[in-house]
Amino acid sequence: MSSTFDQVATIIAETCDIPRDTITPDSHAIDDLGIDSLDFLDIAFAIDKQFGIKLPLEKWTQEVNDGKATTEQYFVLKNLCARIDELVAAKGASA
Amino acid sequence: MQLEYFHMIDRIVDLNVDEKRIVVEALVPNASTIFEGHFPGYPLMPGVLLIESMAQASGWLQLGVLKFERMPILAAVKEAKVRGSVFPGDLMSIEATLTHQGSGYAVTEAKIRVGGKLRANSTLTFTQIPFPNADMRGHMDAIAKRVGFPQQAVSP
């Protein structure tokens, strides 16, 4: 089974028509890859479906807007993948 | 329907928030300024208004599921297909299902049938925002009453 990063990078490449080889774990989805909020909805939808989770986009956005978190914490891909892994693990623990 | 005012839904036939499914009806008017241009001598419903009708049906479904706490706003239209023309006088039956409820967004599948025959379908994405002001909330409450929104569906 491919890693979380590989799956997320494939989703981003296919959803946003971004060359797969330009997407790295250190890529910032917004600043480096130029993904806007509407495209990120498509990405979130694909991630939600593929991993069986619900990315808490509203909570993350609120934290960033309130200065309690940085966009890097959620939108640099290695960090996004870590959040996904946490959500998958939490889902497994509560199942 | 009052096309000029974007009143695309006449009545909610069935709203099932547990199954996340809605069926609404809309009678295409025989006369509208829209048909004066689309088209003279051959009036038919513009495809964009069919999509808007599916979006509004999906919107009422989300208002039910969200118990009027958020307002759905159309964000993306995918896989929209107009499979057959819809004419003045046609009674449209529009069915929408909520296929995914995300964090602050949702995806629906919607279909328009006339006389049981599929005329259009689409996959729609919505953002769900807090009501921006009392005017909009009041407007939606008024329309809810007009289309027979079943208040018991959102009662605690």
Side-chain angles (χ1 to χ4, degrees):
Chain A
M1 186 171 167
S2 58
S3 72
T4 300
F5 171 74
D6 285 333
Q7 294 179 72
V8 169
T10 299
I11 286 171
I12 291 173
E14 291 176 353
T15 303
C16 300
D17 203 17
I18 295 171
R20 171 65 181 84
D21 57 7
T22 64
I23 303 170
T24 74
D26 291 315
S27 298
H28 191 300
I30 302 165
D31 297 343
D32 297 327
L33 302 178
I35 297 169
D36 65 18
S37 58
L38 183 55
D39 281 337
F40 203 83
L41 277 190
D42 283 338
I43 292 167
F45 179 41
I47 289 173
D48 283 0
K49 278 199 306 183
Q50 187 147 334
F51 293 92
I53 58 175
K54 186 190 284 191
L55 284 184
L57 294 182
E58 288 189 297
K59 176 170 170 278
W60 292 355
T61 303
Q62 192 64 50
E63 288 177 6
V64 169
N65 290 342
D66 291 345
K68 295 176 181 169
T70 63
T71 60
E72 284 77 9
Q73 286 175 251
Y74 298 127
F75 296 107
V76 168
L77 296 192
K78 63 185 177 189
N79 298 334
L80 174 64
C81 292
R83 301 288 91 75
I84 291 169
D85 288 340
E86 290 168 4
L87 290 163
V88 170
K91 181 187 164 217
S94 65
Chain B
M1 300 177 87
Q2 280 187 288
L3 303 183
E4 295 82 0
Y5 289 92
F6 269 54
H7 291 174
M8 312 307 288
I9 305 302
D10 288 330
R11 122 181 139 90
I12 294 174
V13 176
D14 184 44
L15 170 61
N16 189 321
V17 294
D18 294 329
E19 293 179 3
K20 298 180 172 58
R21 175 179 170 275
I22 194 171
V23 178
V24 306
E25 276 184 354
L27 178 62
V28 180
N30 283 314
S32 165
T33 55
I34 301 268
F35 298 135
E36 292 173 14
H38 196 279
F39 294 96
Y42 192 71
L44 79 161
M45 275 285 281
V48 291
L49 294 185
L50 297 178
I51 292 170
E52 176 66 22
S53 300
M54 291 187 276
Q56 290 192 15
S58 300
W60 287 112
L61 171 60
Q62 291 170 79
L63 285 166
V65 170
L66 299 172
K67 300 186 184 300
F68 269 83
E69 290 177 359
R70 296 288 186 96
M71 177 70 190
I73 301 291
L74 181 63
V77 178
K78 292 180 185 169
E79 303 295 329
K81 291 182 178 172
V82 178
R83 298 171 182 275
S85 295
V86 176
F87 299 101
D90 280 348
L91 180 63
M92 299 196 298
S93 174
I94 309 168
E95 177 184 358
T97 54
L98 185 68
T99 56
H100 185 72
Q101 176 62 60
S103 170
Y105 76 98
V107 180
T108 69
E109 303 277 347
K111 295 175 181 173
I112 295 177
R113 293 185 178 89
V114 175
K117 291 185 178 173
L118 186 63
R119 296 294 172 90
N121 66 287
S122 62
T123 303
L124 306 171
T125 302
F126 297 79
T127 55
Q128 298 166 332
I129 64 170
F131 277 93
N133 57 46
D135 284 350
M136 186 183 216
R137 176 59 198 253
H139 175 70
M140 295 309 295
D141 285 341
I143 297 182
K145 194 171 289 184
R146 180 173 62 76
V147 300
F149 185 89
Q151 292 298 331
Q152 70 273 16
V154 297
S155 298

